[in-house]
Amino acid sequence: MAKVVPRPQLSFWEKIYFVEIFKGLGITFGHAKASLTDAAHFQTLQYPDEAPNLPRDYRARHRLMKRPDGTPRCVACFMCSTACPARCINIVAEESPDHHIEKRPAKFEIDLLLCVFCGFCVEACPCDAIRMDTRQAVLAADNRRAFVVDKERMMDWDPKDYPLEDTQSQKAPGGALHAQALQEFKSGTYH
Amino acid sequence: VLDAITHSWLWLHMYLIITLALPALIPITLFQVLPLLVLLERRGASFIQDRVGPNRAFIPVPVIGRIRGFGIIYTMTDLVKGLFKENFTPPFAYKSFYWLAPAIPVATAVLTPALVPWFAPIVYQDGSGDHTLAGTLIPSSNGLLVLFAMGALSVYGVVLGSWASNSKYSLLGGMRASAMMISYEVSMGLSVLGMLLIVGSFSLTDIVEWQSRHTWGILVQPVGFFLFMTAMFAETNRNPFDVAEGESEIIAGFHTEFAGVKFMLFMMGEYFHMLIASALMATIYFGGYDVLPFPVPTGLDFQNWARIDTSFIKQHLGGMLCLLLAVKGVAMIGFAGLVNGRRTNYARRNAQDRDLRLKEYAFYIAVFGGGGIACIALGAACALFISTQSTGNIGRDLLYPGWVNALAALVQFGIVLGKTLAFCLLFIWVRWTLPRFRYDQIMAIGWKILLNVALVNLLVTAIVAKAIR
């Protein structure tokens, strides 16, 4: 059954249009006045100069998590590169000097130009070694090679930029929980 | 030194020099207003829509860092871009008319300020007898008719441009625009007739003089003013009568095929037309160079009341200059206050360029605050040190020394320009408030409402004028 949409019935004052013009002018004047006198009125972000305030779970550039001794948590299991639909993760494994750990990455590269930022690598990782919570969503460079981030760049992050609740980050060197974690790590009780 | 100045060749031939310089000075001054209008349009639009607006382009300056000039740099870069863009002519266009069309709106628009009275006629005496320096560049007794004729000519730019482009989009846009402009010309002429009937002259100077003797046109002809204003919005192709360009519907209307300098000429003509329309409204209905529509008490005892007319301005030149400069100074200080608001806001924000911007804002505050204080100080000095004495009279006109006449003319020019800019702001304000009328609505308003109300207004005015006389 067709729904009948009634035409809006205009009152006399709306029909002669003049009153409505002045109402409209009043509205725009209010906006102009607020914009002119109150600098906090604008919602605008002065973008390249001001960083956008992204939520922590925004899928941005990747980082590699670190153990208390500063080595990557990654065990080069290739789960992430297998899960990756864009095939942008390139891992070369090597033997780990730590006899508790079988492998470690000799090379861990992500081509951000290929990456679709789906987050599957983060979900696939059994060791919580890769995360995408750097909030660096703006990636700019003047050559393609610069978009291929290597292991060192992905491990170059500061625990101070991450919240205290993020214990995994705080256990890395420089973090709030690092001293205790390092002790546990040396005594072999670290998880 | 004073004696050497007052007996120098320049001083003795002051009126000759002023007469020769005015035809250059007034259009140049108005051309300086054009980029300001573009800036006001952009910033006005953005502020009405709660946006920041253009604020990125800057000129690097050694000490201050950079100057963004509230967005005026964009207007400058637009000009440079337009000038250096390829002067393209489509292969299918009629070349001669295609090249001629953009010149017409600009040429007619630039000629029109010659007929607007920017200051009161100056009566003076020199070796060869009594003379009058008219406030218009062309002292014509039927200046308004010439003005309307010039305005009507701007339709030719639209029609020629659209037809010479030889493109159906241009032609459709041009037909709509020209039909509208011609329709509203009828209402425009009829609506202003009421005022002409009361004044009894086609000369714009006479109209302003009448207003400075009686009261402003808006108070005697309110209906006529609203009709005239509506017609003027249509004549200048501004919203809500924006069918000429009609951004959202018909590509760009009549100037679809124009680019670079030719497009810029169309735009310049449009803005100049808006400026002239504002000047006309200010002149015919808002007293032109007259200051207030009612007499003010000349003393604190409220015994003597006088209109602030030309002779009052010349008599109290120091006070008038003081008033004008004080208004300007307060406006500048207020503006510095607004900039300071921006500055404190930006100081709280975590931005990379914060220091650079704070330095820039501080510079603006120094310039406008200092300028405002300087203006007020200059005004106070004017009030204290300038006193004028008439040197004689020709009939009812008092004679004043040349510098008094020149300064009074400057004050009046400032008043006209201020009123004109106020109307330009109204144009901008309305453009970003109202949506565009449909084409049939435009025709209905023009022919069924405006024309009839204008006729009734004319009839009533005629009867009342006859009854009073």
Side-chain angles (χ1 to χ4, degrees):
Chain A
M1 198 182 123
K3 192 186 171 200
V4 180
V5 180
R7 280 185 166 267
Q9 289 295 313
L10 299 179
S11 71
F12 172 74
W13 293 110
E14 284 167 343
K15 264 183 202 156
I16 63 165
Y17 199 70
F18 253 99
V19 186
E20 295 297 307
I21 285 180
F22 286 106
K23 270 192 202 168
L25 286 174
I27 290 170
T28 45
F29 181 78
H31 281 271
K33 185 172 161 270
S35 304
L36 196 62
T37 53
D38 180 16
H41 176 70
F42 298 117
Q43 299 297 311
T44 312
L45 186 83
Q46 296 292 331
Y47 165 58
D49 302 320
E50 278 182 298
N53 188 16
L54 296 172
R56 193 49 82 175
D57 54 356
Y58 187 94
R59 291 199 296 271
R61 216 197 77 187
H62 314 68
R63 65 171 172 147
L64 282 178
M65 304 300 283
K66 290 180 273 192
R67 296 201 185 92
D69 63 341
T71 54
R73 287 177 65 88
C74 176
V75 293
C77 67
F78 290 80
M79 295 275 258
C80 52
S81 65
T82 310
C84 181
R87 299 191 179 183
C88 64
I89 305 176
N90 178 25
I91 305 171
V92 175
E94 65 179 6
E95 197 177 333
S96 167
D98 188 342
H99 60 90
H100 294 294
I101 304 162
E102 192 182 334
K103 289 189 290 182
R104 68 173 184 187
K107 203 165 131 187
F108 194 110
E109 284 180 347
I110 298 182
D111 190 342
L112 293 175
L113 290 179
L114 288 180
C115 179
V116 293
F117 296 93
C118 60
F120 285 3
C121 50
V122 181
E123 286 180 33
C125 185
C127 307
D128 190 14
I130 187 166
R131 285 197 189 175
M132 295 177 79
D133 56 355
T134 53
R135 299 203 285 187
Q136 291 176 22
V138 184
L139 308 165
D142 54 5
N143 60 324
R144 279 159 195 259
R145 182 60 217 170
F147 283 102
V148 181
V149 287
D150 55 11
K151 191 173 68 179
E152 281 69 34
R153 235 182 106 190
M154 278 191 280
M155 283 167 66
D156 182 21
W157 50 270
D158 189 351
K160 289 187 186 66
D161 296 339
Y162 294 89
L164 284 175
E165 301 89 72
D166 183 0
T167 48
Q168 196 65 267
S169 295
Q170 296 304 333
K171 283 175 183 173
L177 307 172
H178 175 243
Q180 201 195 340
L182 192 64
Q183 229 166 23
E184 288 174 13
F185 186 75
K186 279 176 181 161
S187 62
T189 56
Y190 177 76
H191 297 289
Chain B
V1 178
L2 208 67
D3 209 47
I5 292 173
T6 49
H7 286 88
S8 68
W9 186 88
L10 279 173
W11 190 266
L12 291 174
H13 295 81
M14 186 185 228
Y15 290 109
L16 179 72
I17 292 164
I18 290 177
T19 314
L20 289 177
L22 273 183
L25 279 180
I26 286 176
I28 286 172
T29 314
L30 293 182
F31 266 114
Q32 303 315 306
V33 179
L34 282 193
L36 188 71
L37 277 186
V38 177
L39 174 69
L40 279 177
E41 177 103 80
R42 284 180 175 161
R43 264 358 244 285
S46 62
F47 282 175
I48 281 172
Q49 296 166 352
D50 292 343
R51 291 185 287 114
V52 173
N55 69 342
R56 286 280 149 195
F58 64 89
I59 297 176
V61 173
V63 183
I64 306 142
R66 62 187 191 191
I67 287 187
R68 294 173 298 144
F70 311 101
I72 194 84
I73 313 293
Y74 282 85
T75 322
M76 292 153 76
T77 49
D78 280 351
L79 186 79
V80 173
K81 183 201 171 194
L83 283 175
F84 285 95
K85 209 169 166 177
E86 184 191 356
N87 206 347
F88 180 71
T89 309
F92 46 79
Y94 302 113
K95 288 227 167 45
S96 50
F97 289 134
Y98 183 83
W99 279 74
L100 180 68
I104 294 173
V106 176
T108 53
V110 171
L111 284 176
T112 40
L115 295 146
V116 176
W118 299 103
F119 51 85
I122 297 170
V123 180
Y124 66 95
Q125 237 171 4
D126 64 6
S128 58
D130 305 340
H131 304 279
T132 306
L133 178 65
T136 55
L137 300 182
I138 302 171
S140 165
S141 59
N142 39 20
L144 197 62
L145 291 183
V146 184
L147 251 174
F148 283 169
M150 291 283 185
L153 273 179
S154 70
V155 182
Y156 281 80
V158 173
V159 175
L160 266 186
S162 68
W163 181 68
S165 301
N166 204 0
S167 135
K168 39 181 168 294
Y169 296 112
S170 296
L171 194 61
L172 282 172
M175 293 323 286
R176 285 163 63 134
S178 54
M180 184 191 73
M181 286 165 91
I182 289 169
S183 306
Y184 277 76
E185 224 142 72
V186 182
S187 316
M188 182 180 74
L190 278 174
S191 59
V192 87
L193 267 186
M195 197 63 203
L196 296 178
L197 207 68
I198 295 170
V199 177
S201 169
F202 280 116
S203 160
L204 278 165
T205 313
D206 286 352
I207 294 174
V208 177
E209 285 298 316
W210 186 89
Q211 291 180 89
S212 68
R213 277 199 309 277
H214 299 86
T215 187
W216 287 4
I218 173 87
L219 298 175
V220 273
Q221 283 278 304
V223 179
F225 169 70
F226 276 105
L227 296 174
F228 186 70
M229 190 174 68
T230 315
M232 270 300 171
F233 275 98
E235 280 295 296
T236 49
N237 293 327
R238 301 272 304 179
N239 257 2
F241 302 98
D242 189 26
V243 288
E245 193 172 342
E247 297 150 317
S248 53
E249 289 165 30
I250 39 174
I251 312 191
F254 63 95
H255 53 56
T256 305
E257 304 288 346
F258 290 88
V261 177
K262 295 206 263 320
F263 172 73
M264 263 175 49
L265 284 179
F266 272 125
M267 289 306 282
M268 210 190 277
E270 213 165 272
Y271 276 97
F272 217 102
H273 207 147
M274 179 173 129
L275 197 67
I276 290 305
S278 304
L280 263 187
M281 283 194 273
T283 308
I284 302 175
Y285 291 100
F286 274 79
Y289 47 73
D290 195 32
V291 183
L292 285 173
F294 45 82
V296 290
T298 49
L300 288 173
D301 51 354
F302 294 92
Q303 292 297 316
N304 300 316
W305 293 68
R307 286 296 296 275
I308 306 178
D309 55 2
T310 313
S311 62
F312 186 94
I313 291 176
K314 283 177 184 169
Q315 222 172 337
H316 304 89
L317 188 64
M320 287 307 293
L321 279 172
C322 172
L323 211 66
L324 209 67
L325 285 169
V327 168
K328 198 186 163 198
V330 168
M332 280 172 89
I333 290 172
F335 190 74
L338 289 182
V339 175
N340 191 42
R342 293 283 194 276
R343 185 173 184 276
T344 45
N345 176 270
Y346 213 72
R348 279 199 298 271
R349 294 164 83 151
N350 183 23
Q352 278 175 23
D353 67 338
R354 192 173 63 189
D355 296 341
L356 209 57
R357 270 209 201 185
L358 293 188
K359 227 165 29 172
E360 192 196 353
Y361 282 136
F363 170 70
Y364 293 149
I365 292 165
V367 166
F368 283 96
I373 291 166
C375 270
I376 291 172
L378 194 65
C382 283
L384 286 176
F385 297 116
I386 292 182
S387 60
T388 54
Q389 205 73 49
S390 77
T391 54
N393 64 315
I394 306 169
R396 279 174 51 220
D397 300 308
L398 291 172
L399 287 173
Y400 281 96
W403 62 272
V404 176
N405 287 336
L407 277 180
L410 209 61
V411 168
Q412 289 176 330
F413 183 58
I415 290 164
V416 182
L417 212 59
K419 285 179 184 174
T420 306
L421 277 179
F423 272 107
C424 288
L425 278 178
L426 179 76
F427 268 104
I428 290 165
W429 184 12
V430 168
R431 174 173 177 186
W432 297 103
T433 301
L434 300 182
R436 182 163 69 249
F437 285 124
R438 227 165 41 221
Y439 187 62
D440 60 310
Q441 288 173 330
I442 284 177
M443 285 296 144
I445 291 170
W447 289 108
K448 290 184 190 163
I449 300 173
L450 281 195
L451 185 60
N452 294 329
V453 177
L455 281 171
V456 171
N457 178 50
L458 181 61
L459 197 69
V460 172
T461 312
I463 292 167
V464 171
K466 184 75 183 169
I468 288 174
R469 206 163 285 171

